[in-house]
Structure formats: structure tokens, C-alpha cells
Amino acid sequence: MTTDRETETGGTDSEHDGSAGGLPSDRTASNPNYDGAFDAVVVGAGLAGSAAAVTMAREGLDVLVIERGASPGAKNVFGGVLYTPTIRELVDLDDAPLERYVAEKRFGVLSTEDETAVSLRPGEWHAEPHNDSYTVLRGDFDEWFAEQAVDAGATLVTETTVTGLLRDDDGTVVGVETDRPDGELRAPMVVLAEGGNSLVSEGADLKGRPDRGDVAVAVKEVLEFPDSDDAIADRFRLSDDAGASYHYFGEGAVGDAFGGAFIYTNDDTVSVGLAYRIEDAVTGQPDPERTLDRFKSHPAVAPLVRGGRTIEYAAKTIPEGGADAIPELVHDGAVVVGDAAGLVLNNGVHLEGTNMAVESGYHAGRTVASALADDRTDAAALRAYPESLNESFVVQNLEHYEWLMETVREDRDLLFRDLPRAVADAGEEYFRIDRQPKALHAENAKTRLLRTVGGWRGAAKLAWRYRKVIS
Amino acid sequence: MSTHPKTPDVDNATLEDRLYTVKYEDPGDSHLDVKVPGFCAERCDTDDCVDVCPADVWRKEEGDDVPTIAYENCLECGSCRFACPYNNVEWEYPENGSGVTYRYG
């Protein structure tokens, strides 16, 4: 078993020569002949890659994880909540760099001036394991999770970019090309965990370039509050390690676009950002940065973020094509996991991806170990990976909500613009204080809502159309 | 009286200041390019790469045939690559750990 302790402990500033301690001395930085030294190469040390690496290393495989960033997580961005049921099975989370557990979920619909929100603070969420929902920062968490893979026996090299795949005469993937000198590296299996901007998988024709209607562009800021130590606890009504996850929809969040915005509380920072379809970003909607400015200045949002100093600005693309957009996951000698496989659920209520990444990495890792035990790397021997993924929550959830995206797209103006306005107006009317009887206000509020949805018949149709959101 | 007399001011950082929060190591050459300049010059009149970019990497001034690329601003999201209707964006990962490094992510 070979472990690269230098890389593990080297941090972001030290030099990495790509050599792995413990390998035979003929393998040097200028001649890194690792061919055949590893059973599997994992491309990318994000959550999917490290989950696969932990799983395979525990199964006794020699695993090499190649990360293009200076450290795991250095190139990674996400909204901010990690769901941990599977991670908790794989590693001990006690020492993990978790920020806060999610004690409140808030869903707010924003018109340009108004907010109408539903907030949930179940008492149960204060008890461990806190509904397996924690805010994290990927720079910390991914580095820690990759260390768990190294502790399990995997080798990690950073600052190394995989530029392509090696194939034999039959087309079977037999290794990777990297940007290191003589950087070809042969191994029986390659796990592609390179994220949503998956150049290697696309370049090797393992998947096509996703349609821009299936990809969202996201921007995020991490804010700190230099003038107020208690800003986060006070503004979000939090104590101890409790945290909040706020989600926003409607034109006050992302304008005319199809998407949403968010605020998540970290330990002593707040993550604020938004995501919307690239298809919309290229039409009328202002660019992502301007849209973020506008969201932060919304009357319902500004009090939460005012005085915040931006300590990081980040951007990412999110594959949101759902079950129909999942590419072929197994190939001769290779499997695709995580964002690269399009495993992201965004139905407006559940915004999940990292748990799907971990789950896919886990199933892929188990399948690779099992196939290699039989001396096989062909796609047929790897079918257990997509099959187990199909039976898991990952594909079941994606398929359950597959209908939603298309339906929401058809109803976009109603759901994101007209209805939020009507709900805010109806609320204003319903609670209006004057010298009129309450019954009159209630009637007016009802009329306002019904007019927007097309009467009782329209309301019934709408309820029927969206019944599966909560079923 | 305005509807929201007391909405607090939010001082949004400029893009320059925002980009300054991110550690960046220059790979020396651009990891971004256009595949066929002729597509931009002759076919494209929507400049979707410019509209989508969260970091102002893609820029087109009046009269430019092809966008200029400030690759040093790039946050490596890849949105330009998906946005281009002609699949005309050449995108490579920056080499050897160069490019952007996020501290928080």
C-alpha cells in the first residue's frame, strides 16, 4: 500500500512533485512510471471521488486520486448544505469540519418588493444526527474527506490535471493522461469524478456536452460581519451550532429566470448566492453578478446580509437535467460519478447533489472492487453500479421529480411572477386593518388569488398538476 | 413615503473587489479560446458568452468581431462553454494547479 504523506500534509503552499512516497526508486518526478502500480485512478478529489476512493481502498484496492487543485476542494463550489447519511456510514463524522447543523428551513417567495415565506424549525432537528443536514465549506470539508481516503490507504496527488484517457486497441479505457512530464498512467479502472464541467469525460466521448437548458450557472459569496460578532445568531435566531438554510424563489430572487437564490449560515460566515438556467442567463436576465447584487438588496434580504464583507466570490455550473440527462455511467474500464454524471436534484424544495455524489461514488467503488476481484473491467461487469444506483434514492428521487422541471417551465410566469405577486397582495388584503369587516377582506383576498390562477377550476388544475411535489 | 423607507443599504463589492478575494495563479497562457474565430465574426450576434459570464472574462466592444478573453478573471465555472450555441468555446483545465483556488468554496 502506498500513501503520499507529503501531499496529505503538505497544505496548499508546498511544492508537490507528484511522486508517491514508498514507490520503487525508479519512479521519480521526471519519470513517474506508476504504470500498473494502482488498481484504480480517481479523477477529482471532490465528494464523489473521495467517496469512491474510501470505498475502494477499504476493499483493499490500490487507489490513486488525482486532483487538479492545490488541495482537495480548491476548485470546488456548492451552495452550502451537505446531507450526510452515507458519509456517516463511510467515515467518522465526529472530527469533520462541519459548520452548523440545519435547524431551520425557510422557503420565501419574493416579488420585487414583497416576501411570503414558510419556515420550519422542527425540535427534532436539534437532536443528533440533526436530520443529517449540515452547512459546510468545501475548502475544509473536501480536504478532510480526501484525508479519510488517504487514511484508508489511497494515494492523493494534487496540482495534477488529467487531460485525457488512454485506451487500448479495443477502446477499453486503460489509464489517464496528465499534465505531468511523461504523465501517462496506466491502471485497470478509471473513476471519473471531475464535476459538472467534465472536460475529460466529454473529450473521451463518454458523455455529450449537456444542453444549456439543462445546466444552471451559479454564483455565491461568502460574507463575514466584521462589525458585529452576533450578526448571524441575531439575524437568523440561532444559538450554539444551530444553523439556517433559506431558499428564495420568484422575480425578487432571480428575475425572469428559472432558478432560485439561497442564504446558508456557516459558523461565522454566511453563504449567499443564486442559480438559474444558462438558457435564461443569455436572454433578458442581467448577468449573474448583477442578479446577485439585486437579490442582496431586496427589502427582505438586505437586513440579513447588510454589513457583510465579501471574503470570497465563486461561480459554478450545475447539471440540472434530471434523470433523462444522466449519461451512460459505465464504459469498458471507466465509470462516471457525481456531477459529471449529472446527479443533482433540484425540484425547488429539495436541493441536493453532494449526497448523490457520495452515494454514486460509494456504489461505483463497490462495483469496481467486485469487478476487479473477477479480473474484469468491461462495461458488462460494471452494470451493478448503475443498477444499484437505480435502486437507491438517487435515481428514484430524480425520476420521481422528472416531470416537475418541464411542468414548472411551462408555468414559469405564473409560478415565479404572477402567483408570488398575488399571494403577497392577497396577504396584504387579508390582514388589512381598517373599519371594514374581516369577511370583506377575506373575500377580496380570495378573489385576488383565484383571478390569478384562473378561478376554482384553475386552482384545482394547478393543485393536480403539482400534487406529486409533496406526495 | 417610499414603500421601504428603511431597507438597509447593502454595499455590494465591485467585480474587481470580488475577484480579488480569490487566489489566482496565472498559468501563463489562456486556458480559454474560441475554436473558430469565423463563427464569432460571421454567425454570432448574441454574444451569449459575454452575457453568461459571472466574472467578465468574455468581452466584446462595439466593432469587435471576436470577443477578447480576460482569462485571468476566470472562476472556472464553464458556463461560457455551455452557453455558446455554436459550441465554439475552447476550454481546457488550467495546468498544474494553476488558475483559481477557492479557500471556502
Side-chain angles (χ1 to χ4, degrees):
Chain A
M1 197 66 60
T2 56
T3 48
D4 187 358
R5 296 291 163 182
E6 181 194 327
T7 302
E8 181 202 352
T9 56
T12 55
D13 296 319
S14 63
E15 290 287 317
H16 302 303
D17 62 7
S19 65
L23 288 175
S25 57
D26 61 330
R27 296 186 183 125
T28 63
S30 58
N31 181 27
N33 177 16
Y34 298 154
D35 282 356
F38 296 98
D39 299 311
V41 171
V42 179
V43 181
L47 294 168
S50 287
V54 165
T55 305
M56 292 189 291
R58 296 255 173 83
E59 298 272 352
L61 300 188
D62 284 327
V63 179
L64 177 68
V65 183
I66 302 179
E67 165 57 43
R68 68 189 179 92
S71 60
K75 301 281 189 185
N76 296 353
V77 176
F78 87 142
V81 181
L82 178 73
Y83 301 100
T84 52
T86 306
I87 291 188
R88 197 152 52 83
E89 296 288 312
L90 289 175
V91 295
D92 181 358
L93 269 181
D94 284 350
D95 299 328
L98 307 172
E99 296 284 313
R100 290 172 181 268
Y101 67 86
V102 175
E104 177 186 5
K105 272 181 185 287
R106 181 186 182 91
F107 298 92
V109 179
L110 304 180
S111 71
T112 50
E113 295 278 287
D114 316 292
E115 176 186 28
T116 305
V118 174
S119 168
L120 299 94
R121 294 168 80 98
E124 184 67 22
W125 290 357
H126 292 291
E128 285 189 355
H130 306 299
N131 196 32
D132 275 310
S133 307
Y134 300 90
T135 54
V136 306
L137 295 167
R138 297 290 296 278
D140 295 332
F141 192 87
D142 287 15
E143 190 161 23
W144 177 86
F145 195 34
E147 277 171 21
Q148 308 309 301
V150 170
D151 286 348
T155 300
L156 171 68
V157 292
T158 56
E159 297 185 335
T160 303
T161 302
V162 172
T163 52
L165 299 181
L166 303 173
R167 293 180 191 267
D168 67 10
D169 294 341
D170 299 330
T172 298
V173 174
V174 292
V176 297
E177 294 169 357
T178 75
D179 61 354
R180 292 285 175 184
D182 300 320
E184 291 190 355
L185 196 150
R186 283 165 198 277
M189 280 298 308
V190 174
V191 177
L192 288 147
E194 54 176 335
N197 192 17
S198 44
L199 302 176
V200 180
S201 305
E202 287 179 39
D205 284 331
L206 303 191
K207 61 183 279 197
R209 186 179 67 131
D211 186 90
R212 68 187 192 180
D214 286 341
V215 183
V217 57
V219 289
K220 184 183 87 167
E221 282 185 324
V222 179
L223 303 178
E224 67 175 15
F225 298 90
D227 300 330
S228 171
D229 289 344
D230 300 323
I232 295 168
D234 290 351
R235 294 176 192 186
F236 296 87
R237 302 175 297 149
L238 303 172
S239 52
D240 300 327
D241 295 335
S245 114
Y246 285 13
H247 309 264
Y248 297 93
F249 313 96
E251 61 181 334
V254 290
D256 288 339
F258 183 91
F262 58 82
I263 304 176
Y264 299 114
T265 57
N266 306 311
D267 186 14
D268 54 7
T269 59
V270 158
S271 297
V272 51
L274 48 82
Y276 53 84
R277 295 297 165 98
I278 287 178
E279 206 170 52
D280 301 324
V282 299
T283 53
Q285 185 61 26
D287 69 40
E289 195 214 0
R290 295 277 89 78
T291 303
L292 180 61
D293 284 349
R294 212 174 53 178
F295 168 65
K296 287 172 65 187
S297 301
H298 189 282
V301 177
L304 300 172
V305 299
R306 74 187 149 79
R309 190 168 72 90
T310 304
I311 55 173
E312 188 163 274
Y313 175 62
K316 157 174 180 60
T317 46
I318 309 170
E320 291 187 345
D324 283 353
I326 298 175
E328 183 59 57
L329 297 180
V330 295
H331 305 266
D332 293 336
V335 295
V336 188
V337 297
D339 269 17
L343 303 177
V344 171
L345 174 68
N346 175 9
N347 65 359
V349 179
H350 306 288
L351 310 172
E352 301 185 17
T354 49
N355 54 341
M356 295 185 156
V358 170
E359 192 73 7
S360 66
Y362 164 72
H363 286 297
R366 282 175 56 103
T367 299
V368 166
S370 164
L372 287 180
D374 294 337
D375 263 340
R376 290 181 61 180
T377 67
D378 55 298
L382 300 166
R383 293 309 311 176
Y385 162 46
E387 282 165 11
S388 54
L389 206 61
N390 282 340
E391 286 163 19
S392 75
F393 70 87
V394 175
V395 174
Q396 287 185 17
N397 287 347
L398 287 174
E399 286 181 342
H400 185 71
Y401 292 106
E402 187 67 18
W403 60 279
L404 183 75
M405 286 309 181
E406 203 44 51
T407 311
V408 169
R409 210 183 296 232
E410 287 166 16
D411 296 338
R412 192 165 88 177
D413 286 350
L414 174 68
L415 293 177
F416 292 155
R417 191 190 61 208
D418 300 342
L419 202 53
R421 282 183 194 167
V423 167
D425 288 353
E428 200 182 333
E429 175 65 37
Y430 185 83
F431 290 107
R432 187 183 301 277
I433 299 299
D434 54 18
R435 300 177 72 199
Q436 301 287 341
K438 299 292 181 206
L440 180 71
H441 291 310
E443 185 61 30
N444 287 345
K446 192 173 72 185
T447 305
R448 175 75 178 86
L449 277 177
L450 285 176
R451 201 168 59 221
T452 303
V453 296
W456 286 112
R457 184 184 291 265
K461 267 191 193 162
L462 203 62
W464 181 253
R465 264 161 92 78
Y466 290 95
R467 68 195 182 281
K468 272 168 55 180
V469 170
I470 50 170
S471 68
Chain B
M1 194 175 90
S2 110
T3 319
H4 292 282
K6 288 184 179 167
T7 298
D9 286 336
V10 173
D11 284 331
N12 281 310
T14 63
L15 181 63
E16 196 179 12
D17 286 343
R18 280 178 165 142
L19 294 173
Y20 195 69
T21 63
V22 182
K23 186 176 160 191
Y24 181 81
E25 190 184 330
D26 192 342
D29 302 308
S30 176
H31 63 290
L32 305 173
D33 203 350
V34 296
K35 291 177 185 169
V36 184
F39 272 109
C40 305
E42 287 150 33
R43 301 233 194 137
C44 182
D45 54 13
T46 54
D47 303 329
D48 293 346
C49 54
V50 177
D51 288 337
V52 76
C53 180
D56 204 15
V57 170
W58 297 82
R59 298 168 186 179
K60 208 166 172 187
E61 305 293 334
E62 195 68 34
D64 285 354
D65 284 341
V66 177
T68 55
I69 304 171
Y71 72 92
E72 305 90 340
N73 283 3
C74 183
L75 298 172
E76 297 173 32
C77 70
S79 56
C80 53
R81 198 168 73 80
F82 298 109
C84 177
Y86 307 102
N87 195 9
N88 200 34
V89 173
E90 181 82 45
W91 217 109
E92 291 174 3
Y93 293 131
E95 293 190 334
N96 302 128
S98 64
V100 73
T101 290
Y102 290 119
R103 184 172 160 208
Y104 301 100

